Amino acid sequence: PQESRFAFIYRMFGAKPAEAANAEPATRAAQSAKPAGQTPSAHDRTVSDYLNSTSGGVRTLQRDRVLQTFLEKLEAGRIRNSLLIEVTFTSFTPEKAALIANTLVETYLEDQIDAKTGANKLATKLLDEKITDLRKKLSGAEQRAEKFKAENDLFDENGRLILDAQLARHMEAMVKATSVASETSARYHQLRAMLKNGNNAETVQDVLKSETVRAFREELARAVRKQAELQTRYGPRHPSIKQANADVAKATAAINDEVSAIVKNLGNEVQVANFRKSQLEMELQIIKDRIAATKGKTWRLEELNRDVETSKKLYEDLLARRKQTRQTLGLQFPDSRIVQRASVPLTPSGPKRKQFVILAIIGGFAFAFGGAFLFEVLRPGFDGAEETEKQLAVQQVGSLPDLGDAGEADPLRAARWILAEPRSLYSEAVRSVQHAVQARMPGGVLLLASSLAGEGRTTLASNLATQYAISGQRTLLIDGDLRYGRLSNVLGIAQRPGLVDIVSGTATPSDAILRDGGTSLHVLGAFSGRPPEASPTELLSARVTADLIATLRNHFDVIIIDAPPVLPVADTRILSDFADAILMVVRWRQTARLFVKQALRTFGPNEGKVLGIIMSRVEKSEYLAGIGLDGKSAPKAKDREVA
């Protein structure tokens, strides 16, 4: 930026940009830009005065001029395909050039460090302000959360939700009660099933654990042993045997009574366990209902806790960031570094004499070639037959004198000049052209073309066709300009059907071709009414056009086509495909040579059909001199007589 460049300049001369208006005296400013031990020169003091001056008027203008001159000598840009920036300063003193370039770069690096330090300080200040705000927000969030918990009595002394703790305890008790009820019920039903089926219930765990059953079983065992001993000595009717049997039955009955009591106790335990389970289920449902009722409060509390956690996280992050920023406050380095310092140049950088000489030579050649090109383009056209044949490598068949004001005032008379003025110079020239062409092309299709409009092509086509008709040959004159119909307008047949109508299928050749009763000349116009909407190039390129020309060849000895200019449009290039020979009409001293050459090249493969050049609108004196007559001795009565 322009301001940055000014900042470098101010600092180089010993003053900061913001203090430029109140800079130190010129002597100290100049000394800051020079190495130690050197005294400021008068020139340096003058420059410093300009830079540090705050007075208006002339001083301000002089200071701006000094800055502008300084910036004009300073160049800084990136070296191609690299990240290097090259700083160049031009001065008449080599030492000053190196000093200023190095000072600017050093100032730039210092400015980068100052900018980073300032940004760090500003960031630290902003972080302190932000931390203070976050501390207040965090404290407020924590207070709101604690107040909400205290008002709604949702937590116990350990900081847990009361209902959640109750739910956990009841869930645990519920699991235990369910387990006890299931186990007791299983044991009870197992014992009853064994008793019902007549199985020995004494093997059940609850029976085995009974001390009473164990005592009865021991008594039964003693009675059974005693019974067995007595049976070995006495018969079944012995009183001792009967007493022993009575003791066994009594012990067995006692065991059965105790088992029944155990079964009854198990049944009572089952009822108690189921009742306890039902009570816990009711209490658990009550707790769940209370939790559902306080769900909104819980969500609100969770939201408050999230605010507290978020504020705490931001607060801790900013604290860490501030600590990091303060630690790196004194460790600032510039993003750039000096790769190579500017050394005092040993040779001047300018003026570059060799380069100036080369540029002068190149400029001289360019000026010479440019002048030759302009002379070639701006020079009037061809002057004589020798020059024409040398430049174009095409023979000049003939030349036509200029009809002057008479031809421009009455175009119809000019188009039939050979009939109106049969003994004039122009009529004789047309007859000469007819003989020259007939010698090279006895019959067929002859195309008359020109590079540009206004070269006398239409006038020559009409008079040449009339001359062919007068000489007894069956001749057809075709207006090939399907854009403007110049020949049709001149002959007054613009409203009659023409070539476009035949190609479009709206007319037949017998309807469109007219016959001149005086000369037996047949004429085919361009179009009837307005120009065709279709492109003339497309109409001429159509197959029906080629078939029409082939058909007309069988009915006429000579067909002369008045074609439009070659360079502006492509119609003539298409018509050249139908022609047996081409006559190029060139206006004397007017048509540029470059245009004629370009027009001939435009014919492409049909360039070989060009019979020659017709030089038109030649001045009368030049024409007479060209045919060997002196213009002063020639007849002057409208050139009716030819010497």
Side-chain angles (χ1 to χ4, degrees):
Q2 198 78 353
E3 294 79 5
S4 298
R5 295 186 179 183
F6 289 159
F8 295 158
I9 296 171
Y10 284 131
R11 296 189 62 182
M12 184 186 66
F13 285 101
K16 296 182 180 179
E19 303 171 352
N22 301 316
E24 296 181 359
T27 303
R28 292 187 60 188
Q31 288 177 351
S32 64
K34 286 188 169 292
Q38 294 187 13
T39 59
S41 64
H43 174 72
D44 293 331
R45 288 197 297 271
T46 303
V47 172
S48 182
D49 289 339
Y50 289 154
L51 293 177
N52 298 324
S53 176
T54 58
S55 59
V58 178
R59 279 294 188 183
T60 303
L61 180 61
Q62 290 173 339
R63 181 182 62 189
D64 293 341
R65 288 178 178 174
V66 170
L67 294 177
Q68 183 64 32
T69 303
F70 186 90
L71 293 177
E72 289 177 355
K73 296 181 179 181
L74 177 65
E75 293 182 3
R78 176 180 170 185
I79 299 178
R80 187 177 182 182
N81 297 331
S82 70
L83 297 177
L84 298 177
I85 297 178
E86 184 180 37
V87 179
T88 305
F89 189 84
T90 304
S91 175
F92 288 101
T93 306
E95 294 79 6
K96 182 184 292 184
L99 174 63
I100 292 176
N102 290 325
T103 304
L104 285 174
V105 175
E106 292 170 357
T107 305
Y108 174 71
L109 299 182
E110 293 176 3
D111 185 71
Q112 281 191 339
I113 296 176
D114 293 343
K116 287 188 174 183
T117 304
N120 241 349
K121 291 180 179 179
L122 179 60
T124 303
K125 181 180 178 181
L126 294 176
L127 285 174
D128 290 338
E129 295 175 356
K130 193 68 175 177
I131 287 172
T132 303
D133 294 340
L134 278 177
R135 186 183 297 114
K136 294 179 180 179
K137 291 182 179 179
L138 177 59
S139 177
E142 290 176 344
Q143 291 177 3
R144 287 191 296 271
E146 293 298 329
K147 182 179 179 181
F148 185 83
K149 289 191 291 186
E151 290 177 351
N152 293 274
D153 193 20
L154 298 176
F155 289 85
D156 57 11
E157 63 277 3
N158 296 324
R160 297 179 300 174
L161 284 171
I162 295 176
L163 293 178
D164 287 348
Q166 291 178 355
L167 180 63
R169 289 196 298 269
H170 278 72
M171 288 291 292
E172 183 178 357
M174 182 65 186
V175 171
K176 291 181 179 179
T178 303
S179 176
V180 170
S182 299
E183 181 181 356
T184 305
S185 178
R187 286 156 45 199
Y188 173 72
H189 288 93
Q190 179 185 9
L191 186 57
R192 288 195 62 184
M194 292 180 68
L195 293 175
K196 184 178 180 180
N197 296 328
N199 296 330
N200 187 10
E202 296 180 7
T203 58
V204 178
Q205 186 68 22
D206 293 283
V207 177
L208 293 176
K209 290 191 300 181
S210 177
E211 294 294 335
T212 304
V213 172
R214 186 178 302 111
F216 286 153
R217 291 184 66 183
E218 290 177 355
E219 185 178 351
L220 177 62
R222 287 194 299 269
V224 170
R225 283 197 303 272
K226 186 178 179 180
Q227 182 185 27
E229 290 176 0
L230 293 175
Q231 286 178 354
T232 57
R233 291 183 295 174
Y234 305 107
R237 295 181 178 182
H238 193 276
S240 298
I241 294 298
K242 291 181 178 181
Q243 183 63 38
N245 292 336
D247 292 338
V248 170
K250 181 180 179 180
T252 302
I255 292 175
N256 291 334
D257 291 340
E258 186 62 23
V259 170
S260 298
I262 292 174
V263 172
K264 185 177 180 180
N265 290 335
L266 281 177
N268 294 332
E269 290 180 7
V270 170
Q271 292 179 358
V272 172
N274 290 333
F275 178 76
R276 176 59 179 166
K277 178 181 176 183
S278 300
Q279 289 294 111
L280 288 175
E281 288 178 349
M282 292 175 59
E283 294 176 1
L284 187 62
Q285 185 62 39
I286 293 174
I287 294 175
K288 290 181 178 179
D289 294 340
R290 291 181 61 188
I291 291 176
T294 59
K295 201 65 177 179
K297 296 180 180 180
T298 306
W299 289 343
R300 174 58 181 166
L301 182 60
E302 291 177 355
E303 182 179 354
L304 293 175
N305 289 332
R306 283 197 298 270
D307 291 342
V308 172
E309 292 298 328
T310 303
S311 300
K312 185 181 294 184
K313 183 67 170 59
L314 290 176
Y315 181 72
E316 293 174 353
D317 291 344
L318 287 180
L319 285 177
R321 180 68 180 275
R322 182 182 63 177
K323 183 178 180 181
Q324 181 182 4
T325 304
R326 286 184 174 179
Q327 289 177 351
T328 59
L329 187 60
L331 301 175
Q332 300 299 328
F333 300 95
D335 294 329
S336 308
R337 64 183 179 89
I338 300 176
V339 177
Q340 181 179 0
R341 300 182 63 86
S343 58
V344 178
L346 301 178
T347 58
S349 59
K352 300 179 180 179
R353 297 180 177 85
K354 183 183 296 184
Q355 183 176 355
F356 286 162
V357 171
I358 295 175
L359 291 177
I361 295 174
I362 295 175
F365 278 108
F367 180 78
F369 283 114
F373 177 77
L374 292 176
F375 179 77
E376 180 70 19
V377 173
L378 300 178
R379 179 187 176 189
F382 298 98
D383 194 5
E386 181 179 355
E387 182 182 7
T388 303
E389 294 174 359
K390 181 179 179 181
Q391 292 288 334
L392 303 179
V394 179
Q395 185 179 4
Q396 181 174 327
V397 177
S399 57
L400 302 173
D402 190 9
L403 295 179
D405 297 337
E408 295 180 0
D410 191 353
L412 178 59
R413 180 180 175 82
R416 300 176 66 83
W417 194 268
I418 198 168
L419 297 178
E421 303 292 341
R423 303 188 64 186
S424 63
L425 290 176
Y426 188 86
S427 300
E428 290 297 332
V430 171
R431 295 188 187 96
S432 299
V433 171
Q434 189 242 345
H435 288 302
V437 173
Q438 194 169 6
R440 293 171 174 80
M441 189 195 74
V445 180
L446 177 64
L447 180 69
L448 266 67
S450 63
S451 303
L452 303 172
E455 300 195 40
R457 179 196 67 255
T458 300
T459 303
L460 174 60
S462 177
N463 285 282
L464 184 60
T466 303
Q467 176 60 32
Y468 267 105
I470 293 174
S471 64
Q473 299 188 53
R474 188 173 176 81
T475 307
L476 173 63
L477 175 61
I478 300 177
D479 185 0
D481 188 357
L482 304 187
R483 299 176 186 271
Y484 301 102
R486 169 69 177 168
L487 179 61
S488 301
N489 291 326
V490 170
L491 298 180
I493 60 173
Q495 301 301 322
R496 300 283 301 178
L499 179 60
V500 173
D501 301 280
I502 298 176
V503 174
S504 302
T506 58
T508 61
S510 59
D511 296 333
I513 298 176
L514 303 177
R515 180 177 179 276
D516 184 10
T519 60
S520 298
L521 174 64
H522 294 77
V523 181
L524 176 59
F527 48 80
S528 60
R530 295 180 299 175
E533 296 181 359
S535 172
T537 305
E538 296 178 359
L539 293 173
L540 294 174
S541 302
R543 179 64 183 175
V544 64
T545 305
D547 295 340
L548 175 62
I549 299 298
T551 302
L552 295 176
R553 284 176 179 271
N554 299 328
H555 293 80
F556 296 96
D557 300 327
V558 178
I559 299 176
I560 297 178
I561 302 177
D562 179 27
V566 177
L567 296 181
V569 295
D571 301 353
T572 305
R573 307 170 205 173
I574 300 174
L575 290 172
S576 64
D577 295 335
F578 308 138
D580 297 319
I582 301 173
L583 274 184
M584 194 70 182
V585 180
V586 179
R587 185 172 178 177
W588 179 72
R589 287 185 179 177
Q590 291 294 326
T591 307
R593 304 176 182 182
L594 184 62
F595 293 160
V596 179
K597 293 178 181 179
Q598 185 176 354
L600 291 174
R601 288 195 299 269
T602 302
F603 288 117
N606 295 323
E607 187 177 356
K609 297 181 181 180
V610 179
L611 287 181
I613 302 296
I614 302 296
M615 197 65 63
S616 66
R617 304 185 69 172
V618 182
E619 289 184 4
K620 191 179 300 181
S621 59
E622 295 290 338
Y623 179 78
L624 292 175
I627 61 176
L629 297 176
D630 187 4
K632 298 180 180 180
S633 60
K636 298 181 181 180
K638 295 184 180 180
D639 300 325
R640 293 175 184 268
E641 302 291 340
V642 181

